[in-house]
Amino acid sequence: MSYSALQNTPITVDLVAVTKDTGWSLPGDGTAKHDACNAGTMKASGIVLVSGQTYNISYQIISISSGQVKFGIGDNSVGVHTVSGFVQESIVANG
């Protein structure tokens, strides 16, 4: 699977593809649910990024009972979130 976007154009990630065999499931209501006792990393591969470019990300954590949620690009990651809410962050691509 490959993703690409022009500057200031959103990238939509196919959750069905990135949750396969990861400890996450899709209940069918537009959300992803993590199964307990699993590291549960979702990774979207094939996204073309420009090293040094800043990318704005946003997502919503509807419910979290333990663990953490964070977003990463390459070796960089931002935010460690342990409560529900709407997240907006910026991250610089590397590599």
Side-chain angles (χ1 to χ4, degrees), residues 4 10-11 14-15 21 30 32 34 43-44 58 67 76-78 89 94:
S4 64
I11 295 173
D14 180 358
L15 285 177
D21 301 324
H34 181 255
K43 292 184 179 181
S58 61
N76 288 347
S77 62
V78 291
E89 297 172 312
N94 64 350

Side-chain angles (χ1 to χ4, degrees), residues 15 26-32 62:
L15 285 177
L26 302 172
D29 60 1
T31 65
I62 296 172

Side-chain angles (χ1 to χ4, degrees), residues 1-94:
M1 176 171 302
S2 178
Y3 300 89
S4 64
L6 299 173
Q7 186 173 354
N8 298 319
T9 302
I11 295 173
T12 301
V13 176
D14 180 358
L15 285 177
V16 173
V18 300
T19 58
K20 185 176 181 182
D21 301 324
T22 62
W24 288 82
S25 60
L26 302 172
D29 60 1
T31 65
K33 181 179 184 298
H34 181 255
D35 302 322
C37 300
N38 185 305
T41 300
M42 284 191 280
K43 292 184 179 181
S45 59
I47 297 175
V48 179
L49 301 174
V50 177
S51 185
Q53 179 72 40
T54 299
Y55 293 85
N56 298 314
I57 58 159
S58 61
Y59 54 93
Q60 184 175 11
I61 303 168
I62 296 172
S63 175
I64 186 168
S65 58
S66 66
Q68 62 188 19
V69 175
K70 67 180 177 179
F71 183 88
I73 295 177
D75 295 330
N76 288 347
S77 62
V78 291
V80 174
H81 304 282
T82 58
V83 296
S84 59
F86 190 77
V87 179
Q88 291 183 303
E89 297 172 312
S90 296
I91 187 170
V92 178
N94 64 350

